[in-house]
Amino acid sequence: MSMGTAERHRTPEGDDASEVSVPVVSATPDREVVEAGRVPRTREPQAAYRPLWREEPARRRRLPDPVRTAAVRAVIVVAVTLILAMVAFLCTLAESWLAFPMVLGSVAGTVVATWGVLDVWVTRQVWNQRHGVVSVPSSTARAMRRERRRARRQARRAERGQERIGRRGGTGQLSHP
């Protein structure tokens, strides 16, 4: 016997409804026929929740925000340029007056698309140099990390000096008056 929609839906746990009104009409005479009666609901163990997809760790790190915005901008400009080129081609085949303006637009779009792709490349290089590629000799990240390390060492040195003074039990005076 196939289950109807009403039989498939279960009430949430803790719901007091133990019966549901289901009209069951059977085509075979040996099955029970209930027109508008109440069918007792059985509590069957439901299958464990199975998500639609499984989260997997990313294979590569996410692009930094400035690089990602430049990449999105470049993709949009390249897409518009390709559409312009296709329209120019079709207008040329149709011998339309719109072909020449479209060809000019395609040339301008090609220049802008080239600029967009170069912008992604330059933005990525600048971000790498400022934020993390330490192996490059001209990297500013190395100097920034060196400064942070120096500040941490000085802070630890000052903290140890205060602890030493506190352990001696003195009030911060010299040992000889």
Side-chain angles (χ1 to χ4, degrees):
M1 179 172 135
S2 67
M3 293 175 57
T5 306
E7 286 109 352
R8 276 192 231 133
H9 292 294
R10 301 270 186 243
T11 57
E13 297 299 325
D15 193 3
D16 293 336
S18 61
E19 294 181 350
V20 65
S21 177
V22 179
V24 178
V25 179
S26 177
T28 57
D30 60 335
R31 295 195 179 152
E32 179 183 359
V33 176
V34 179
E35 293 287 340
R38 311 228 356 126
V39 177
R41 175 174 284 174
T42 59
R43 296 279 181 191
E44 298 173 1
Q46 291 183 347
Y49 172 72
R50 204 177 78 183
L52 294 175
W53 62 86
R54 189 174 44 203
E55 294 286 333
E56 294 180 2
R59 293 174 191 225
R60 294 189 309 178
R61 285 188 348 230
R62 183 175 162 172
L63 282 175
D65 286 339
V67 179
R68 192 170 53 249
T69 55
V72 168
R73 191 177 334 139
V75 165
I76 291 172
V77 169
V78 168
V80 169
T81 302
L82 287 174
I83 291 171
L84 278 173
M86 182 58 77
V87 170
F89 176 72
L90 293 175
C91 286
T92 304
L93 288 180
E95 298 179 2
S96 171
W97 64 269
L98 201 56
F100 183 67
M102 282 295 159
V103 167
L104 291 179
S106 297
V107 170
T110 303
V111 171
V112 174
T114 304
W115 168 82
V117 172
L118 284 175
D119 181 44
V120 173
W121 182 66
V122 169
T123 306
R124 184 171 175 266
Q125 294 299 326
V126 167
W127 195 91
N128 281 339
Q129 186 177 11
R130 286 185 185 162
H131 294 98
V133 180
V134 182
S135 61
V136 179
S138 63
S139 175
T140 56
R142 175 177 288 138
M144 289 170 48
R145 287 188 176 143
R146 192 177 300 138
E147 290 171 15
R148 274 188 256 136
R149 254 186 267 126
R150 189 178 303 131
R152 277 195 304 255
R153 284 186 199 130
Q154 287 177 351
R156 278 195 303 254
R157 217 175 283 137
E159 188 177 315
R160 278 192 297 243
Q162 291 299 323
E163 288 175 5
R164 255 188 248 130
I165 291 173
R167 271 187 300 200
R168 285 194 313 205
T171 58
Q173 298 175 350
L174 295 174
S175 58
H176 295 73

